[in-house]
């Protein structure tokens, strides 16, 4: 079967290989069979390894999009009557704060404009001022802008002050090599459909088991999205408590095998080359980046609109979409921007082909002469 290959430059889901797509076509199976338990066990232990965790870490699988993992992580690990400090410098940091509010969890929000790099001293000061803060939550790669936030530095603060560290690593996991241990992370959320290059539908939280076990006595705030109950159930039965996204998990298993084949360093290198090709190509077409190079994740880039009255983002989107490329609007209030991701099963030839198509589109729109 021939599947049309689309190049997704939106911030996830990302382009997948045909082999990952095809691995979803399997015989029907009851997910409570041992055979499927083996699949989930493989996925869970592999994800822990990819995160740089050893036998003291464990991965809890959930059905849902990335936000389900953020939700489960936040609602499950902040003790009653304690607070979570959340660093908000983008739509996803903002989402973390909204989740805390939805559960009426005590919240200290350190808010920045959506292209401002967080200041470590602000966080340290807030920790000193409020002893009720038990957890710190932040986004690693803030996909709103493409900014790589200072997770290692905040990890050091968490160690120094004995705080539980929660990281949304949804758009950095498997795309940027880093270690959950080295960064002192207790809980990190990610999903099947970004840099691991699987299908959308499986969310997961990689946990330091010791920190997860501490939550055993906490009164659950959610029945469905509770990390400890899911962990306990899976440990005892090697089954998910509720129906898992069966086919998505077969695709994730395949995506993990392909990740090991490519290697973590090579995947990072490919993404980096994609990024370099992209920013060079875009600069050639006259586009300016939002962020300075040193704050970039190299996985997604925000560009300003060009200074031309002929420019129309929706028209540009539709014209490149027809050629098989998907681009994405910006999310920063007040600034006219759009975003291009370079994750997924794509390479520099794809990016070059995109820049070529974009050049013709800009000429057709009369943005370029
Ligand atoms: C994609 C993404 C999410 C999750 O979004 P869903 O639409 O729920 O999958 C969360 N945080 C970050 C940083 C992301 O990039």
């Amino acid at each position: 079967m021939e599947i049309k290959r689309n190049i997704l430059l939106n911030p996830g889901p990302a382009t997948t290989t045909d082999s990952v797509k095809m691995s979803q076509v399997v015989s029907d199976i009851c997910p409570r069979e041992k055979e499927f338990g083996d699949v989930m066990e493989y996925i869970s232990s592999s994800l822990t390894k990819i995160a740089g965790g050893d036998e003291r870490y464990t991965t809890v699988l959930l059905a849902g999009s990335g936000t389900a993992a953020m939700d489960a992580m936040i609602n499950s690990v902040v003790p009653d009557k304690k607070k979570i400090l959340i660093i908000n410098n983008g739509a996803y940091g903002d989402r973390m704060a909204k989740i805390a509010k939805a559960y009426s969890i005590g919240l200290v929000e350190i808010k920045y404009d959506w292209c401002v790099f967080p200041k470590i001293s602000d966080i340290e000061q807030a920790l000193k001022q409020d002893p009720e803060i038990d957890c710190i939550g932040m986004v690693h790669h803030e996909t709103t802008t493409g900014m790589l936030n200072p997770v290692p530095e905040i990890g050091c603060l968490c160690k120094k002050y004995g705080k539980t560290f929660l990281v949304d690593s949804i758009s950095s996991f498997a795309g940027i090599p880093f270690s959950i241990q080295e960064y002192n992370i207790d809980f990190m959320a990610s999903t099947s459909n970004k840099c691991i290059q699987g299908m959308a539908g499986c969310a997961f939280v990689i946990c330091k088991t010791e920190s997860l076990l501490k939550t055993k006595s906490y009164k659950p705030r959610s029945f469905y999205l509770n990390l400890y109950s899911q962990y306990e159930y899976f440990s005892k039965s090697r089954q998910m408590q509720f129906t898992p996204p069966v086919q998505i998990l077969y695709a994730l298993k395949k995506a993990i095998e392909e990740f090991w084949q490519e290697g973590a360093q090579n995947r990072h290198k490919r993404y980096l080359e994609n990024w370099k090709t992209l920013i060079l190509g875009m600069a050639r077409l006259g586009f300016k980046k939002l962020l300075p190079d040193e704050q970039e994740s190299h996985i997604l880039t925000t560009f300003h609109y060009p200074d031309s009255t002929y420019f129309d983002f929706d028209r540009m989107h539709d014209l490149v979409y027809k050629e098989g490329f998907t681009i994405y609007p910006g999310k920063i209030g007040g600034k006219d921007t759009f975003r291009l991701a370079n994750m997924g099963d794509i390479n520099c030839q794809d990016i070059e082909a995109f820049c070529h198509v974009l050049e013709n589109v800009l000429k057709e729109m009369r943005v370029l002469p």
Side-chain angles (χ1 to χ4, degrees):
M1 188 171 73
E2 190 71 31
I3 312 170
K4 181 178 172 250
R5 183 162 180 266
N6 287 330
I7 305 294
L8 301 187
L9 304 176
N10 47 289
T15 304
T16 56
T17 60
D18 284 354
S19 37
V20 164
K21 291 181 189 79
M22 294 313 293
S23 64
Q24 296 176 99
V25 185
V26 286
S27 301
D28 293 322
I29 184 168
C30 169
R32 302 206 182 272
E33 287 299 323
K34 180 187 174 299
E35 189 186 337
F36 198 73
D38 293 343
V39 171
M40 289 195 286
E41 183 72 51
Y42 172 82
I43 291 171
S44 168
S45 61
S46 301
L47 295 173
T48 307
K49 264 186 229 144
I50 294 171
D54 58 18
E55 68 290 342
R56 291 167 300 172
Y57 292 79
T58 187
T59 297
V60 175
L61 303 174
L62 304 158
S65 80
T67 307
M70 297 168 74
D71 189 324
M73 175 169 81
I74 293 167
N75 87 59
S76 303
V77 313
V78 187
D80 195 26
K81 300 194 175 71
K82 293 280 185 185
K83 293 181 186 167
I84 183 167
L85 179 150
I86 286 171
I87 304 170
N88 171 357
N89 67 336
Y92 295 100
D94 196 58
R95 188 173 298 177
M96 286 186 109
K98 281 185 177 139
I99 292 168
K101 282 180 202 157
Y103 289 102
S104 306
I105 294 170
L107 172 66
V108 175
E109 198 175 353
I110 309 276
K111 222 170 177 168
Y112 297 96
D113 276 346
W114 285 6
C115 44
V116 173
F117 196 75
K119 249 170 73 189
I120 312 302
S121 56
D122 293 346
I123 317 316
E124 184 155 22
Q125 201 187 350
L127 285 181
K128 282 180 178 161
Q129 271 170 9
D130 194 341
E132 286 186 352
I133 296 170
D134 186 80
C135 302
I136 298 185
M138 74 184 295
V139 179
H140 188 205
H141 169 211
E142 183 46 86
T143 328
T144 316
T145 51
M147 187 181 285
L148 195 67
N149 276 326
V151 165
E153 289 80 357
I154 302 296
C156 287
L157 275 190
C158 286
K159 193 169 189 180
K160 182 173 168 191
Y161 290 91
K163 306 297 175 190
T164 304
F165 193 21
L166 283 63
V167 177
D168 167 352
S169 63
I170 292 178
S171 58
S172 58
F173 175 78
I176 300 172
F178 68 96
S179 151
I180 189 169
Q181 295 193 56
E182 230 175 274
Y183 287 2
N184 295 309
I185 299 171
D186 293 284
F187 299 94
M188 70 183 238
S190 193
T191 175
S192 51
N193 60 269
K194 292 201 178 174
C195 303
I196 194 67
Q197 299 182 183
M199 295 292 156
C202 173
F204 46 90
V205 182
I206 304 156
C207 315
K208 190 175 181 179
T209 313
E210 187 192 348
S211 308
L212 178 62
L213 292 175
K214 267 206 313 211
T215 69
K216 181 178 179 179
S217 59
Y218 299 179
K219 183 173 175 287
R221 294 185 176 95
S222 164
F223 177 70
Y224 194 85
L225 293 176
N226 182 265
L227 284 186
Y228 186 80
S229 65
Q230 181 63 27
Y231 163 79
E232 186 185 40
Y233 195 92
F234 189 80
S235 308
K236 284 187 181 149
S237 64
R238 288 168 31 103
Q239 294 174 13
M240 271 211 219
Q241 212 171 351
F242 312 107
T243 307
V246 175
Q247 287 70 19
I248 305 306
L249 288 171
Y250 279 112
L252 182 54
K253 176 169 181 274
K254 184 72 185 161
I256 289 167
E257 288 163 2
E258 292 181 0
F259 175 86
W260 293 129
Q261 272 160 23
E262 182 172 17
Q265 296 299 332
N266 286 338
R267 174 151 309 177
H268 178 60
K269 218 171 103 193
R270 177 166 59 82
Y271 284 7
L272 199 58
E273 275 159 19
N274 287 349
W275 182 76
K276 284 182 187 155
T277 310
L278 180 70
I279 60 157
L280 280 175
M282 293 297 282
R284 213 171 50 230
L285 299 175
F287 289 97
K288 294 197 171 58
K289 293 197 293 124
L290 175 77
L291 297 180
D293 279 1
E294 67 276 12
Q295 294 176 0
E296 296 275 14
S297 64
H298 308 131
I299 288 181
L300 175 139
T301 313
T302 300
F303 294 95
H304 291 284
Y305 282 6
D307 203 7
S308 161
T309 48
Y310 295 116
F311 183 77
D312 174 350
F313 177 81
D314 293 336
R315 177 133 188 263
M316 175 170 83
H317 168 276
D318 294 351
L319 290 170
V320 300
Y321 189 79
K322 270 202 287 199
E323 303 295 323
F325 298 95
T326 305
I327 63 174
Y328 212 70
K331 224 180 184 180
I332 310 163
K335 284 204 174 83
D336 283 333
T337 59
F338 64 98
R339 294 178 286 170
L340 298 175
N342 51 270
M343 63 181 141
D345 179 49
I346 57 174
N347 55 37
C348 4
Q349 284 78 43
D350 297 316
I351 304 282
E352 267 159 19
F354 166 72
C355 291
H356 182 73
V357 163
L358 185 60
E359 181 172 1
N360 289 335
V361 162
L362 293 168
K363 283 177 179 163
E364 190 181 332
M365 289 169 67
R366 295 167 64 196
V367 172
L368 289 179

